[in-house]
Amino acid sequence: MKKYITYSAILILGLVLGWLVFSRSSSKDQKHDHNSVSQTNQMWTCSMHPQIMKAEAGDCPICGMDLIPAESNSEGLLADQFQLTENAMALANIQTSMVGKGMADTNGIQLSGKIAENEKNNEVQVSYFAGRIERLNVNSTGESINKGQLLATVYSPQLYAAQQELITAASLKETQPALYRAVRNKLKLWKLSDSQINQIETSGKVRENFPVYATVSGTVTEKMVNQGDYVNQGQPLLKIANLNTVWANFDVYENQIDQFKTGQDVIVTTNAYPNKEFKGTVNFIDPILNTQTRTVTLRVILNNKDDLFKPGMFVKGNIEGSLATNDKVITIPASAVMWTGERSVVYLKTEPNRPVFEMRDVVLGNQIGTDYEILEGLADSDEIVTNGTFTVDAAAQLGGKKSMMNQKERQVLDATNGTQPSMKLNLPQEFQKEFQILLEPYLKLKDAFVASDANKVATISKAMFKTIQSIKTNGLEQMELSHFNELKDMLQMISEEKNIEKQRAHFVTFNENIVAVISHLDILEKELHVQKCPMANNNKGAVWLSDKKEIRNPYYGEAMLTCGEVKQTLK
């Protein structure tokens, strides 16, 4: 009996020990498996190329940088919000600032405007009698003419008959003086001088062709007839402008109207004469508001006796003086704003303690020094990205969020209101056709940057500058002209530089504008790819165009030849 009890006790003890041992082992195995799964779920990404996701640490296949742990926590974020890692924030030098009210620290307000003819000095040269233009002495617009200069020779049947009447009436002037005076007065109404009338009367010969003389001096701005045309009495022949003085017309937003008054001093500058300043005063402020742009026109009269200003030339005006602070005006640094050609956007930091961002469309007002007024889109104390905006935009686009290049999202938003996407570039067909002449030399210019050949870059850009000057800009509105003129300015600056890095700095701005224009062409002669390197432009990112999908970075050349990616394909 004792034997069975002993065996039973041993068996029970063995079961207990076995349970303890295997239970610990199972628990240990389960703990190990959990850690293994956790480790397997950890993904690694590149701070500069967030689209790269790998299951283990290593190097980025695009730029070669060390991969960092990817954050997977996006709890509590709205549909258009996204979060960056602290490492990405530091590496891209992303900085934010609080939006504040009031004027920027400057002694004036900077306005953009355009030179126009002084309408008060414009004249129209007309024909004072009907007839056929036998000879036209003015062949093109832009010609300078002087008062009394021969403009045209006209054959007039009416004038021919009136001369015969004069000769007949001259023989009867003693008996019918009233008839004689009436005939002479009719000829005077047709602007014939007394000496011309006396010559006809004395010679007794009828002239077939009569000259038309200029009644004013100035520059021909429009030729309204051609040689051989028939004209009626009073029909315009030429438009003549006196350009000794010109108007500089500036746009002022309605929330700034109270800041200006006639008589204020204005300093005017233009890219045509970068080292010169021209003084003027505010002569007129339009009493009618443009309901489309929400602006009024502020006019400055400029002395132009040296013929420096050309109608259509873009200028900038700085309104000097002590202007009252407007607490309702919100200003932000220009570095915070990105332009797509369709809209202006900034990135808003939505949470004070986490790097969470979302894109915000804004409406810009006047430029005040290095800042911009914000008319719509931001409120006082909002926190926005002021450095590294292109990096933030790249992260938004790759995450499928609203971004600068993501125009489909904008269209969806506008469609909900039953409207079409706003601020689209309207490019006339003739302009589109001529603009594509720049594509081939542009691709050669990009390749010269890839090769880091500063001399070749300067040569190609100089030739492109001559080409772009020949492109007609008829029909372009202010926003389209702004892009076009920025392209010309950048080409000129690139051609004048000898240092490749300074040339590349101008190439950044050039590409921002040419991508905006090219993306709005209805038909492209060849397929182009918008490519982007997020590390260029001091980690702000920069784009360029290529006819090949293969990345050849023009901002770094051999140093980082393949850094970048295709962002969009244009056809």
Side-chain angles (χ1 to χ4, degrees):
M1 185 69 178
K2 291 182 179 179
K3 183 185 224 178
Y4 289 115
I5 293 173
T6 302
Y7 286 156
S8 298
I10 292 173
L11 179 60
I12 292 171
L13 180 62
L15 290 172
V16 172
L17 290 173
W19 179 81
L20 290 172
V21 171
F22 287 106
S23 175
R24 290 181 179 179
S25 176
S26 177
S27 175
K28 186 175 181 180
D29 290 343
Q30 290 177 5
K31 185 175 181 181
H32 174 73
D33 291 343
H34 176 73
N35 287 341
S36 178
V37 172
S38 176
Q39 183 67 25
T40 301
N41 287 338
Q42 176 63 61
M43 300 298 291
W44 297 77
T45 186
C46 174
S47 60
M48 304 307 298
H49 302 93
Q51 74 274 26
I52 300 299
M53 284 289 176
K54 290 195 172 185
E56 57 185 15
D59 296 334
C60 173
I62 296 178
C63 63
M65 294 178 62
D66 292 338
L67 298 180
I68 59 175
E71 278 192 12
S72 59
N73 180 22
S74 60
E75 296 180 0
L77 299 185
L78 299 177
D80 290 325
Q81 294 179 343
F82 58 95
Q83 183 171 348
L84 298 180
T85 66
E86 295 294 342
N87 284 339
M89 293 278 291
L91 288 171
N93 192 26
I94 296 172
Q95 300 175 12
T96 62
S97 300
M98 301 294 290
V99 173
K101 291 183 178 180
M103 290 292 185
D105 184 17
T106 180
N107 62 348
I109 296 180
Q110 190 174 88
L111 303 175
S112 297
K114 190 164 61 173
I115 296 296
E117 302 164 8
N118 186 338
E119 295 177 5
K120 294 182 179 180
N121 292 339
N122 287 353
E123 298 285 348
V124 177
Q125 181 74 50
V126 301
S127 175
Y128 294 102
F129 42 83
R132 183 182 67 246
I133 300 177
E134 293 294 308
R135 182 175 180 81
L136 186 64
N137 291 12
V138 177
N139 298 315
S140 63
T141 59
E143 289 188 28
S144 296
I145 61 174
N146 297 315
K147 184 177 181 179
Q149 179 179 328
L150 178 64
L151 300 180
T153 303
V154 178
Y155 166 73
S156 174
Q158 290 179 342
L159 197 55
Y160 187 89
Q163 291 178 79
Q164 290 179 323
E165 291 178 5
L166 175 65
I167 295 172
T168 302
S171 62
L172 302 173
K173 63 181 178 181
E174 296 296 337
T175 58
Q176 299 187 34
L179 175 64
Y180 172 70
R181 289 194 299 269
V183 172
R184 286 184 66 96
N185 288 335
K186 183 167 68 171
L187 291 174
K188 288 182 179 180
L189 291 176
W190 286 334
K191 297 300 180 182
L192 268 68
S193 64
D194 285 330
S195 61
Q196 288 177 312
I197 296 172
N198 292 335
Q199 184 180 4
I200 297 169
E201 182 180 341
T202 303
S203 65
K205 295 181 180 179
V206 177
R207 295 184 59 176
E208 293 186 356
N209 300 325
F210 262 84
V212 177
Y213 296 103
T215 56
V216 294
S217 299
T219 301
V220 177
T221 57
E222 185 177 354
K223 189 177 72 153
M224 308 175 75
V225 292
N226 294 307
Q227 187 167 299
D229 288 351
Y230 282 87
V231 294
N232 296 317
Q233 184 178 359
Q235 181 175 335
L237 304 177
L238 304 168
K239 285 187 179 180
I240 301 171
N242 187 332
L243 299 179
N244 286 336
T245 60
V246 293
W247 289 348
N249 292 327
F250 298 98
D251 291 329
V252 175
Y253 286 93
E254 59 181 316
N255 68 332
Q256 287 291 309
I257 293 175
D258 63 339
Q259 307 263 353
F260 305 99
K261 60 183 180 181
T262 56
Q264 282 178 309
D265 291 331
V266 183
I267 300 297
V268 178
T269 58
T270 175
N271 290 334
Y273 313 105
N275 299 321
K276 289 187 177 182
E277 292 184 345
F278 305 89
K279 292 185 178 181
T281 57
V282 178
N283 174 263
F284 174 78
I285 299 176
D286 198 334
I288 301 175
L289 181 76
N290 186 320
T291 56
Q292 292 183 338
T293 62
R294 310 306 302 175
T295 62
V296 298
T297 299
L298 180 147
R299 180 187 302 160
V300 176
I301 297 181
L302 296 173
N303 188 310
N304 194 38
K305 291 184 178 179
D306 295 330
D307 199 28
L308 297 178
F309 295 108
K310 316 295 181 184
M313 182 183 290
F314 282 95
V315 291
K316 291 182 179 179
N318 191 63
I319 308 295
E320 296 185 327
S322 177
L323 299 177
T325 300
N326 187 344
D327 292 335
K328 296 180 180 180
V329 176
I330 294 176
T331 59
I332 64 173
S335 61
V337 184
M338 293 184 295
W339 294 270
T340 69
E342 293 192 358
R343 63 194 195 274
S344 302
V345 300
V346 300
Y347 275 94
L348 185 70
K349 187 172 183 285
T350 60
E351 299 186 17
N353 300 321
R354 285 201 302 168
V356 176
F357 303 92
E358 69 177 33
M359 194 196 76
R360 181 71 58 85
D361 288 276
V362 295
V363 178
L364 301 181
N366 292 321
Q367 184 176 358
I368 308 174
T370 58
D371 292 356
Y372 278 101
E373 294 176 5
I374 297 297
L375 303 182
E376 296 179 17
L378 291 176
D380 190 28
S381 300
D382 281 344
E383 188 173 359
I384 61 171
V385 176
T386 53
N387 190 62
T389 48
F390 278 95
T391 302
V392 176
D393 183 75
Q397 186 179 5
L398 294 169
K401 309 297 182 180
K402 285 175 59 178
S403 68
M404 181 178 71
M405 299 296 288
N406 187 357
Q407 299 185 30
K408 292 183 179 179
E409 180 67 22
R410 174 74 178 194
Q411 294 176 3
V412 171
L413 289 175
D414 287 342
T416 62
N417 296 324
T419 60
Q420 295 296 321
S422 60
M423 293 186 70
K424 176 179 175 62
L425 293 185
N426 297 313
L427 304 175
Q429 292 297 320
E430 186 64 26
F431 174 82
Q432 293 190 35
K433 182 179 179 181
E434 290 190 27
F435 191 82
Q436 296 200 52
I437 300 174
L438 294 173
L439 293 183
E440 286 301 328
Y442 169 85
L443 295 172
K444 294 179 181 178
L445 178 65
K446 184 263 299 180
D447 291 339
F449 273 111
V450 172
S452 300
D453 190 338
N455 291 331
K456 192 171 183 180
V457 165
T459 301
I460 296 175
S461 59
K462 186 175 182 179
M464 288 181 68
F465 179 69
K466 292 183 179 179
T467 301
I468 199 172
Q469 286 183 306
S470 67
I471 296 177
K472 298 182 181 65
T473 58
N474 299 338
L476 293 186
E477 297 180 358
Q478 185 170 354
M479 183 171 63
E480 290 80 2
L481 278 171
S482 177
H483 284 292
F484 184 77
N485 287 313
E486 191 73 15
L487 289 172
K488 288 199 297 185
D489 291 344
M490 291 303 105
L491 282 174
Q492 186 176 16
M493 292 180 182
I494 293 172
S495 66
E496 293 172 353
E497 288 289 351
K498 303 300 181 184
N499 182 282
I500 188 66
E501 296 306 323
K502 292 183 178 179
Q503 290 174 330
R504 282 171 170 151
H506 298 314
F507 196 49
V508 170
T509 305
F510 179 84
N511 279 319
E512 290 174 357
N513 287 274
I514 198 171
V515 168
V517 175
I518 292 294
S519 62
H520 285 87
L521 297 183
D522 295 334
I523 299 176
L524 274 174
E525 295 176 354
K526 62 166 57 182
E527 185 177 81
L528 294 174
H529 307 285
V530 181
Q531 300 177 338
K532 182 175 182 179
C533 172
M535 299 181 68
N537 192 23
N538 296 321
N539 289 326
K540 297 177 184 177
V543 296
W544 69 92
L545 291 169
S546 177
D547 57 346
K548 300 180 179 63
K549 290 187 177 181
E550 184 181 15
I551 300 296
R552 288 293 180 266
N553 193 316
Y555 299 114
Y556 291 106
E558 290 294 334
M560 294 180 66
L561 188 61
T562 59
C563 179
E565 59 186 322
V566 176
K567 307 297 293 184
Q568 189 180 5
T569 298
L570 306 174
K571 297 181 181 180

